[in-house]
Amino acid sequence: MEIVDSAVHDKARQRAQEEALAALVDQYATTLFRVAFSVLHNQSDAEDAVQEAFLRVLRHRETLGEIRDHRVWLIRIVWNIVLDRKRRAKTRPETDDIAELGRVLPAAGLTAEQRAAAAQHHAHVLACVEQLPAREREVMMLSAFEELSSVEIAEVLDVTESSVRSRLFRARNLLAELLGHPRSIR
Amino acid sequence: MSLSPQNDADRNASVIDAERTLRLIATLPAPEGIADRVKSRLQDAPRKAGVIAWPSSVSGARWTQFAAMRAAAAAAIVIAVAGGAWELYTHIQIAPEPSAVATPQRMDGGHGGLSAAGAVRKPQTLDGPVVAAPAKSDEDKSDELLPKGNGAKPAGKKVRTPGLTQR
């Protein structure tokens, strides 16, 4: 019967989509978490963002077959989510970042004092990065992910590759000034 | 502005150090079990938004039975709506359109508004306000014409005697 065949076909297709989605979660959940954490600096917020990203994928799972590069596509989704969350959230105090970094950064071979000093240093760097203009800051943060080439960063940000390079150049210059003279760029 | 080589090196070192921090954060391990938590949440999530969720896990043999039930339910809804509409149509009678519109006749001869009953308003502002003298009663008038029996005369009043001319 045709209706029965269609129902069976729909069910099989739905099962295949769910398996594909589960495979994406297994493969990219960690990467997406790191991207989210680099912006939000908070573990639970970053995990929430990852879950939201996959929920969006679930809602548009019919388009999964049309995606050329799932990794860049997923990073772009989670990137937009975390930027949106960051815009809506209040500015976190630097002390929160220090505490969070002190908790999550690897501490092998470090004393408690060294670990605290390292966390403070990293938080200071992040605070300087936060003062960069948005476009330069985004390129700089994404360029820290070694698995992302400049072409892929351009795809995530929906700009050209040359824009990525020029923004990265400007970001480095501005960051050098900020690290030398904090709070001088607004 | 040119920078000295030492300053340039310092700037580069600080940027490299900052990028090392960003790279360190970018390589942080994800918390344990994040993939499992995401999967369980995806399984709990509603599949697709819909007004009515029809049973999806229906076996092939019962599919035609469900299709017939859906058709019957749809037919019942259509009949109920059509019956209600017919009921309203038969109970509501629209008033017939009048063939001509009769305009009521005016009682005041067509001048319009309320009548002033011939009253003419004369404003007192041109000649100044006129204070009306108090009206004298008949008794006062007779008092002036006749002498008082007790000889008392009202102060400031002149007594006039009939037949005599006052000088």
Side-chain angles (χ1 to χ4, degrees):
Chain A
M1 190 181 293
E2 193 177 336
I3 296 174
V4 175
D5 288 347
S6 172
V8 170
H9 180 68
D10 284 349
K11 199 170 181 182
R13 192 179 59 183
Q14 187 180 342
R15 173 64 64 86
Q17 286 171 350
E18 285 176 0
E19 285 175 358
L21 186 55
L24 286 179
V25 173
D26 283 333
Q27 197 169 356
Y28 298 119
T30 306
T31 304
L32 297 190
F33 172 83
R34 287 192 282 111
V35 171
F37 185 83
S38 70
V39 176
L40 298 173
H41 304 154
N42 181 280
Q43 276 199 321
S44 58
D45 290 350
E47 188 167 334
D48 273 352
V50 174
Q51 290 194 343
E52 191 181 336
F54 280 112
L55 283 173
R56 286 191 189 182
V57 174
L58 177 69
R59 281 186 224 118
H60 301 94
R61 59 187 184 277
E62 287 82 7
T63 60
L64 273 178
E66 304 164 12
I67 306 301
R68 188 167 47 88
D69 188 342
H70 287 115
R71 186 170 60 98
V72 174
W73 181 63
L74 287 169
I75 289 175
R76 187 171 175 173
I77 291 173
V78 83
W79 184 254
N80 289 330
I81 289 171
V82 294
L83 287 188
D84 188 45
R85 286 188 174 207
K86 196 175 169 70
R87 265 195 295 271
R88 279 184 289 159
K90 291 177 183 173
T91 309
R92 289 161 55 82
E94 198 172 322
T95 50
D96 284 9
D97 283 347
I98 295 171
E100 184 74 10
L101 288 170
R103 203 163 60 81
V104 298
L105 284 176
L110 294 179
T111 64
E113 282 183 7
Q114 287 172 331
R115 189 176 174 177
Q120 200 160 2
H121 168 72
H122 294 315
H124 171 66
V125 170
L126 291 179
C128 289
V129 171
E130 285 295 319
Q131 292 180 59
L132 291 174
R135 296 193 302 183
E136 281 73 17
R137 182 177 66 238
E138 290 172 8
V139 170
M140 182 131 226
M141 291 169 97
L142 284 173
S143 69
F145 292 91
E146 287 174 350
E147 62 260 47
L148 281 178
S149 64
S150 56
V151 177
E152 289 172 332
I153 292 172
E155 279 185 46
V156 170
L157 297 176
D158 200 18
V159 295
T160 61
E161 191 188 355
S162 61
S163 292
V164 169
R165 286 183 183 154
S166 61
R167 286 181 191 182
L168 188 57
F169 179 76
R170 278 201 304 273
R172 283 176 175 147
N173 281 337
L174 290 170
L175 189 59
E177 288 180 27
L178 280 168
L179 290 166
H181 309 282
R183 315 278 178 199
S184 63
I185 293 177
R186 273 284 172 193
Chain B
M1 189 177 72
S2 62
L3 295 169
S4 68
Q6 182 61 39
N7 281 345
D8 211 6
D10 288 347
R11 282 164 60 92
N12 285 339
S14 63
V15 172
I16 289 169
D17 185 50
E19 285 185 315
R20 193 178 299 131
T21 294
L22 291 177
R23 212 168 295 125
L24 181 68
I25 290 169
T27 52
L28 281 177
E32 288 288 323
I34 184 173
D36 294 335
R37 286 194 292 277
V38 171
K39 280 184 199 170
S40 66
R41 187 163 171 195
L42 289 177
Q43 284 173 352
D44 295 341
R47 286 288 175 249
K48 204 164 193 174
V51 179
I52 300 172
W54 291 102
S56 58
S57 59
V58 178
S59 63
R62 296 180 64 191
W63 177 256
T64 51
Q65 188 184 348
F66 271 97
M69 285 172 64
R70 288 167 64 175
I77 292 169
V78 169
I79 288 169
V81 172
W86 177 253
E87 192 78 11
L88 284 175
Y89 178 73
T90 52
H91 278 80
I92 295 174
Q93 291 182 347
I94 301 169
E97 283 286 325
S99 56
V101 179
T103 310
Q105 289 182 344
R106 305 188 77 106
M107 299 302 291
D108 56 354
H111 296 297
L114 295 170
S115 167
V120 178
R121 175 174 158 73
K122 291 175 72 177
Q124 297 178 346
T125 53
L126 294 175
D127 301 325
V130 178
V131 180
K136 293 179 179 175
S137 63
D138 292 341
E139 192 179 325
D140 289 341
K141 287 175 184 171
S142 62
D143 284 347
E144 286 180 5
L145 294 173
L146 294 173
K148 297 284 182 184
N150 56 5
K153 296 175 184 176
K157 281 190 176 179
K158 294 177 180 176
V159 178
R160 285 194 290 174
T161 308
L164 294 176
T165 305
Q166 193 175 6
R167 294 191 178 176

